Amino acid sequence: MKKSKNIVVRKSFTPPQEGEQKHHLHMNDNHELYMLLQGDVTFSIEGRLYHLEPYDVLLISNQEIQCVMVNSEMAYERICIFFKPEYFQQFSTKEYDLLRAFNNNGRVEKGNKIGYENVRKYGLDQCFVEMYEQHMAKLPERSIQLTSMLLHMLLDINKAYEESRLIEGMEDKSSGHSDKIDDIIRYISENLSEKITLDDLTRRFYLSKYYLCHEFKRITGFTVFDYIRYKRILSAKTKMQDGQMINEVWRELGYEDYSNFYRTFKKITGMSPKEYMENVKKRKEDNEKESK
């Protein structure tokens, strides 16, 4: 039976573990819907921290870098739905953007979370469970069923997300938030083609190196340089998906030579730039076949 390539549903369980806090830094090629079932975890998404309660849901676009911080030894369980945005965008109309909760340009201000109260109000928790069960059933109609279920779910996601924004407004500015760090993140994102140093950032934002490094790591879960590296590779992936040649991409992103870009790209993505380009080409061909 052919596996659905447009949707992947995973339920993961990590048993109680002894040890220090664990950080997992990553980014996805697809959009992600994440629901916590149990555990003590904090997500950092583009510099905003979310300490989650069971049945909180996160919306994470393929343009956002995330860091998962496992805070304690207790068991950690979650369900994640990964889906191709380019496939589901075709179901949008001029009047209605199906992926508008993911396409929101003001993500830092708007946030990524739908609180458990709205999750339950719109039945999203049950949708996660039913999609996982359908995924595991491995019936011939699974791909069609999952597509139909996710289309309906995205409609409710948009409603729940908008309502969460009205009720909660901007995520609370507790110790896990800083306008200054938001400004630095925005500056980095807008200047990836430039050489960005700590000296530049400390002068521009009137901060000491120690304070900048300490606060950036505390609030985002990333070091400054890890964040820059990941953002550049994320931008590289987007440019390559849009058809830009590899030689153009690494030069536009401020790399001094191809070998440095190659090493960084492969370390972060697990494949070479050429392999990634071939993968992008194959995905486009598969999408064209599935759309016919």
Side-chain angles (χ1 to χ4, degrees):
M1 182 188 63
K2 184 177 179 182
K3 182 180 178 181
S4 172
K5 297 180 180 179
N6 296 314
I7 306 171
V8 175
V9 186
R10 293 177 184 159
K11 185 176 182 180
S12 303
F13 176 79
T14 304
Q17 295 181 341
E18 295 183 3
E20 297 179 356
Q21 182 186 66
K22 296 175 176 61
H23 294 66
H24 307 281
L25 179 65
H26 61 284
M27 54 190 180
N28 299 318
D29 281 339
N30 297 320
H31 286 355
E32 177 181 356
L33 289 166
Y34 168 103
M35 183 173 72
L36 179 69
L37 296 177
Q38 62 173 316
D40 180 13
V41 296
T42 301
F43 266 75
S44 174
I45 305 173
E46 292 295 330
R48 186 170 291 277
L49 288 183
Y50 302 94
H51 186 74
L52 302 182
E53 300 290 338
Y55 302 102
D56 282 348
V57 165
L58 292 175
L59 283 59
I60 308 170
S61 86
N62 61 359
Q63 298 300 305
E64 295 175 309
I65 300 171
Q66 55 178 299
C67 180
V68 186
M69 292 166 270
V70 181
N71 300 319
S72 71
E73 300 172 3
M74 67 184 295
Y76 171 34
E77 188 175 17
R78 61 277 191 198
I79 299 178
C80 302
I81 301 171
F82 303 92
F83 65 94
K84 287 184 180 180
E86 62 269 25
Y87 179 78
F88 283 88
Q89 190 64 62
Q90 69 177 310
F91 296 101
S92 295
T93 65
K94 291 182 179 179
E95 295 78 23
Y96 188 85
D97 182 2
L98 185 65
L99 303 183
R100 65 189 185 193
F102 288 89
N103 296 338
N104 196 317
N105 292 325
R107 178 67 79 184
V108 171
E109 288 77 19
K110 296 290 185 179
N112 298 71
K113 188 180 81 172
I114 300 175
Y116 66 89
E117 291 182 352
N118 277 323
V119 168
R120 286 175 170 163
K121 175 180 177 180
Y122 286 92
L124 299 178
D125 50 342
Q126 190 61 33
C127 288
F128 272 88
V129 173
E130 290 174 355
M131 287 195 66
Y132 176 71
E133 291 173 348
Q134 181 65 45
H135 178 80
M136 294 302 293
K138 300 182 180 179
L139 299 173
E141 68 271 21
R142 177 176 67 170
S143 178
I144 298 171
Q145 287 277 26
L146 285 174
T147 299
S148 176
M149 293 168 77
L150 184 56
L151 285 171
H152 283 88
M153 187 177 180
L154 287 170
L155 294 172
D156 288 331
I157 286 283
N158 285 334
K159 295 174 187 175
Y161 181 75
E162 290 171 6
E163 189 167 315
S164 292
R165 303 283 66 76
L166 291 172
I167 294 173
E168 300 172 14
M170 187 185 297
E171 291 292 319
D172 65 18
K173 296 189 176 183
S174 61
S175 59
H177 181 86
S178 165
D179 287 335
K180 189 71 77 172
I181 297 301
D182 283 351
D183 292 341
I184 292 170
I185 286 172
R186 192 173 295 108
Y187 174 80
I188 290 171
S189 298
E190 293 172 355
N191 293 276
L192 292 174
S193 62
E194 305 297 326
K195 185 177 181 180
I196 302 173
T197 68
L198 280 178
D199 286 336
D200 293 334
L201 294 175
T202 54
R203 282 195 299 267
R204 179 174 293 273
F205 295 99
Y206 306 102
L207 299 171
S208 70
K209 284 185 183 180
Y210 173 79
Y211 182 85
L212 170 58
C213 293
H214 181 268
E215 284 298 287
F216 198 95
K217 175 71 173 179
R218 181 182 71 83
I219 290 172
T220 69
F222 321 124
T223 67
V224 174
F225 289 118
D226 273 345
Y227 184 78
I228 293 171
R229 285 192 309 119
Y230 271 77
K231 286 297 286 187
R232 281 188 170 139
I233 296 305
L234 181 57
S235 180
K237 289 169 65 178
T238 301
K239 290 176 184 294
M240 292 158 72
Q241 289 167 14
D242 291 340
Q244 278 194 249
M245 301 300 291
I246 295 172
N247 282 341
E248 295 176 356
V249 171
W250 68 263
R251 288 188 173 92
E252 281 188 16
L253 290 172
Y255 285 91
E256 296 180 356
D257 53 62
Y258 176 70
S259 61
N260 186 21
F261 171 71
Y262 177 95
R263 287 193 301 271
T264 306
F265 192 95
K266 188 164 187 178
K267 182 176 181 180
I268 290 176
T269 67
M271 62 183 76
S272 70
K274 183 178 179 181
E275 289 170 335
Y276 185 77
M277 284 288 279
E278 291 171 350
N279 190 43
V280 168
K281 182 179 178 182
K282 186 176 185 304
R283 284 181 63 175
K284 288 182 178 179
E285 290 172 350
D286 290 342
N287 281 340
E288 289 173 0
K289 290 178 183 177
E290 292 172 7
S291 298
K292 290 180 181 178

